[in-house]
Amino acid sequence: MEGLLKGKRAVIFGVANERSIAWAISEALHAEGAELAFTYAGEMLEKRVRPLAEGIGAKIVLPCDVTKDDEIEKVFQALKQEWGGLDILIHAIAFAAKEDLSRAFVLTSRRGFQLALDVSAYSLVALTRHAAALMEGRGGSVLTMTYLGSERVIPNYNVMGVAKAALEASVRYLAHDLGPAGIRVNAISAGPIKTLAAAGISGFKDMLHYAAERAPLRRNIDAEEVAKTALYLVSDLGSAVTGEVLHVDAGYNIMGM
Ligand code: NAD
Ligand code: 0WE
């Protein structure tokens, strides 16, 4: 399987630290020969992301808060200048205000709703539009990360569930738009993994136990397993797959009782 992505160029959004799902995906893509570029959300994260990126020979490491159009534009300008084209976009970003993940969904404010949908769903549309311009004439692959809370009620996931539903629908509309250009757009719906985004959630450990007890495989999953599926979806192995939301969750989602 070596060299599945030889000569391919990928930009990764969503590395915060070595536990990030985006980092596991980065290592898997790098191991198959892809050249990577990274973005980080704010100065605080630069000191975490830059050493990780440089450790796998990445030369392009840029700031990008996805709520800022000018920062998005600068990233893709730099990619155009340095690479002249792009093959793969990885989107592994989500955010909602903490209070919106800890009380009744019905209390979600207009501002909280807008923030969650902007960062977690609209950003895929904006990043994909810019990426597609650099994929013109060569095809490409876009991959985002979602969660079961889009399809079913997961207590406290709340506005993030609504944002993930919008994200998954966006995957299908983007796949329709970009299919004629040979650009595929897919999502992985991952089971719970203890990352920074999960660390802020009270009772997360109990959720891990609950899911592991009920999943057909009777266990949780890890970021490396998400990364293996990511490799399939973004490489030639997934050449006929687009608009898909693929569950990587030890089978948890199929259960009714
Ligand atoms: P993580 O905290 O490592 O990654 C989340 C990333 O989002 C961080 O890098 C953070 O900097 C970035 N981000 C937040 N706001 C941003 C903004 N305004 N601009 C740019 N970046 C911003 O956690 P993770 O678990 O690796 O999350 C990655 C993705 O996986 C998310 O979309 C999440 O919803 C999804 N996911 C996570 C799990 C889980 O249980 N950990 C399960 C299914 C799906
Ligand atoms: O998508 C996520 C979490 C994304 C997330 C996490 C945070 C924590 C810190 C978005 N915004 C914030 N805002 C913060 O201030 N997951 C899939 C992990 C997750 O989060 C949950 C879960 C699971 C699983 C929240 C409630 C219930 C289950």
Side-chain angles (χ1 to χ4, degrees):
M1 291 247 300
E2 200 190 321
L4 227 38
L5 297 176
K6 224 172 99 188
K8 300 293 184 190
R9 287 165 162 163
V11 62
I12 318 285
F13 290 79
V15 177
N17 58 35
E18 65 293 333
R19 290 220 301 243
S20 295
I21 293 171
W23 178 247
I25 294 173
S26 300
E27 289 193 297
L29 270 49
H30 172 69
E32 291 297 331
E35 190 176 350
L36 307 183
F38 291 89
T39 68
Y40 54 88
E43 260 173 60
M44 286 255 299
L45 286 174
E46 180 174 9
K47 62 177 185 290
R48 295 239 176 272
V49 177
R50 194 171 286 284
L52 287 171
E54 284 169 359
I56 58 171
K59 292 184 189 76
I60 308 173
V61 184
L62 297 164
C64 188
D65 175 338
V66 295
T67 64
K68 309 265 169 64
D69 286 332
D70 58 317
E71 293 191 15
I72 294 175
E73 259 151 45
K74 278 186 193 143
V75 168
F76 286 92
Q77 266 168 23
L79 293 177
K80 185 173 184 176
Q81 187 160 15
E82 298 292 318
W83 285 350
L86 180 69
D87 303 290
I88 296 163
L89 164 65
I90 304 293
H91 174 281
I93 290 173
F95 190 79
K98 195 160 181 136
E99 75 237 37
D100 290 331
L101 301 176
S102 58
R103 48 176 199 185
F105 172 66
V106 71
L107 296 174
T108 307
S109 66
R110 187 186 302 275
R111 208 180 117 77
F113 192 100
Q114 282 175 172
L115 175 66
L117 274 280
D118 188 17
V119 174
S120 315
Y122 178 72
S123 64
L124 179 71
V125 183
L127 296 183
T128 299
R129 179 168 59 253
H130 282 91
L134 295 184
M135 291 172 178
E136 208 192 302
R138 58 201 264 170
S141 181
V142 175
L143 180 66
T144 187
M145 294 302 310
T146 187
Y147 178 60
L148 187 65
S150 63
E151 307 170 60
R152 294 213 261 286
V153 173
I154 308 286
N156 295 324
Y157 200 61
N158 296 358
V159 72
M160 270 308 308
V162 175
K164 291 301 194 187
L167 178 75
E168 291 171 25
S170 300
V171 164
R172 292 184 283 271
Y173 281 93
L174 292 167
H176 172 257
D177 280 354
L178 302 176
I183 299 169
R184 299 182 295 106
V185 185
N186 293 291
I188 292 173
S189 185
I193 302 172
K194 198 166 174 273
T195 61
L196 185 63
I201 310 299
S202 73
F204 192 80
K205 242 183 137 180
D206 297 329
M207 280 185 250
L208 284 175
H209 286 298
Y210 184 98
E213 274 173 5
R214 288 161 180 80
L217 295 180
R218 295 289 191 275
R219 63 175 179 83
N220 292 122
I221 62 146
D222 63 32
E224 287 66 38
E225 293 178 300
V226 173
K228 287 190 288 181
T229 296
L231 183 59
Y232 148 65
L233 285 171
V234 305
S235 71
D236 186 63
L237 294 175
S239 60
V241 181
T242 195
E244 185 73 312
V245 178
L246 185 41
H247 293 89
V248 177
D249 65 350
Y252 180 84
N253 76 95
I254 70 172
M255 299 306 293
M257 192 186 285

